[in-house]
Amino acid sequence: MSIEQSAPAAKAGWLRIRMAGRPRLIIILCMAWLAFVLIVAIGADHLAPYSYTAQSLLSRLKAPAVLGGDPRFLLGSDGLGRDVLSRLIYATRMSVLIAIVGSLIGATFGTLMGFLAAHFRGIVEDVIMVFVDFQASMPFLIIALAVLAFFGNNFELFLVVVGLYGWEVYARLTRSLVLQAKGQGYAFAIGTLGVHPVRIYARHILPNILSVLIVQVTLNFPELILLETSLSFLGLGIQPPQTSLGLMLGEGRNYLATAWWTGVPAGIVIFLTTLSISLCGDWLRDKLDPTLKVAES
């Protein structure tokens, strides 16, 4: 192939690589929505027009102002006369907070168990993997319902239960990645120098596997939102007078035929948020996957 023929091919290949690195329009829209949700969650105290607990029985089930209803309630009011928009803003903050804290708990605990299993091997690894297999084989919703029903519902216990969801995925993933990293030359060379294993794991192995764990967090995050929604919908999650997206959805199910605006906005936020995080997680996984190759024509 001549230089004149190879130059356009090289330029075309460079353009494909450059375009492959750019997020698609749908991913940009998803990122914009997630940024908007994060802004709403952080600035809920300043964005909400009313307190989420403020009631007015004379203003029960008012239609949204955008549909010609009471101009005081942009998204209408619920069965107790509370502003749906204000409750939606605070519910978004609560659900996002639970999902973030739960993701940190699950990722930290699961990653730690994975490191312990990969380091000690033997009986320690067998015990950890038995718990991993048990967690993976048992529907977590049943475990959560049993724990919350037996020990009673409080916010701290609810956070721990939500946080333990998916820890077995982090443990199994971390164990396999650490075992693979320990077999590579750099880890073996550092170990022969007498460096403490904790330092090897924290300074050398963990940074190399962190991108994979971050992708797993993005994939697990929407599942935590749906778990909180399910438990709150069943009455075992966030309790009144607090509010969450799942609780709003549960309270609004009795008014779907007469006042749909009490629950549908929460459902829309749940749908758009989980969809956006899932799509961004898939895009980030493809972005950080070292085995991903751009096809050559």
Side-chain angles (χ1 to χ4, degrees):
M1 181 182 293
S2 64
I3 298 178
E4 292 77 7
Q5 293 174 334
S6 61
K11 182 177 181 181
W14 177 82
L15 287 175
R16 284 195 299 271
I17 295 175
R18 184 178 179 183
M19 293 303 296
R22 292 181 178 180
R24 295 170 296 174
L25 177 61
I26 184 64
I27 300 300
I28 295 176
L29 294 177
C30 291
M31 291 180 178
W33 171 258
L34 294 178
F36 172 74
V37 169
L38 187 60
I39 292 174
V40 169
I42 295 175
D45 295 328
H46 304 286
L47 297 175
Y50 305 101
S51 172
Y52 67 95
T53 59
Q55 303 180 14
S56 176
L57 297 180
L58 297 178
S59 303
R60 295 178 63 251
L61 302 178
K62 294 294 185 180
V66 295
L67 298 179
D70 194 323
R72 295 176 299 169
F73 306 108
L74 186 62
L75 295 182
S77 61
D78 63 6
L80 295 177
R82 297 171 297 190
D83 180 47
V84 172
L85 176 60
S86 299
R87 290 182 60 78
L88 184 65
I89 291 174
Y90 281 98
T92 301
R93 166 191 276 183
M94 179 63 71
S95 295
V96 170
L97 174 64
I98 292 174
I100 291 176
V101 175
S103 296
L104 293 177
I105 294 175
T108 302
F109 180 72
T111 301
L112 178 61
M113 292 297 103
F115 272 107
L116 292 177
H119 176 71
F120 289 104
R121 309 301 299 272
I123 184 64
V124 175
E125 181 184 23
D126 293 338
V127 171
I128 293 177
M129 297 312 295
V130 165
F131 282 104
V132 168
D133 293 336
F134 171 78
Q135 179 82 29
S137 62
M138 178 69 69
F140 188 80
L141 185 60
I142 297 179
I143 299 177
L145 291 175
V147 171
L148 294 175
F150 184 79
F151 291 100
N153 187 11
N154 60 75
F155 185 72
E156 291 77 14
L157 178 61
F158 180 70
L159 272 181
V160 173
V161 170
V162 172
L164 291 179
Y165 176 78
W167 74 269
E168 76 281 0
V169 179
Y170 293 102
R172 192 186 300 274
L173 184 62
T174 302
R175 171 183 169 273
S176 63
L177 292 173
V178 172
L179 290 177
Q180 181 180 2
K182 289 174 66 176
Q184 296 181 2
Y186 75 92
F188 179 78
I190 297 173
T192 58
L193 296 176
V195 180
H196 196 277
V198 174
R199 184 179 179 86
I200 297 176
Y201 291 139
R203 294 290 300 274
H204 301 282
I205 295 182
L206 181 59
N208 286 328
I209 68 174
L210 192 59
S211 61
V212 180
L213 297 177
I214 291 175
V215 171
Q216 182 57 42
V217 170
T218 63
L219 297 177
N220 196 56
F221 193 87
E223 296 180 4
L224 291 180
I225 294 181
L226 293 178
L227 176 63
E228 182 277 323
T229 299
S230 302
L231 293 175
S232 297
F233 183 86
L234 295 174
L236 293 175
I238 300 300
Q239 301 295 316
Q242 296 292 330
T243 184
S244 71
L245 295 175
L247 183 60
M248 284 190 65
L249 196 62
E251 293 175 344
R253 70 182 184 273
N254 297 323
Y255 301 99
L256 287 179
T258 57
W260 56 266
W261 55 84
T262 59
V264 169
I268 294 175
V269 172
I270 294 171
F271 170 75
L272 292 178
T273 303
T274 54
L275 177 64
S276 298
I277 298 176
S278 298
L279 292 177
C280 290
D282 289 338
W283 174 78
L284 186 62
R285 178 184 57 190
D286 296 338
K287 184 79 171 175
L288 298 179
D289 188 358
T291 63
L292 185 64
K293 303 295 183 181
V294 179
E296 296 183 0
S297 61

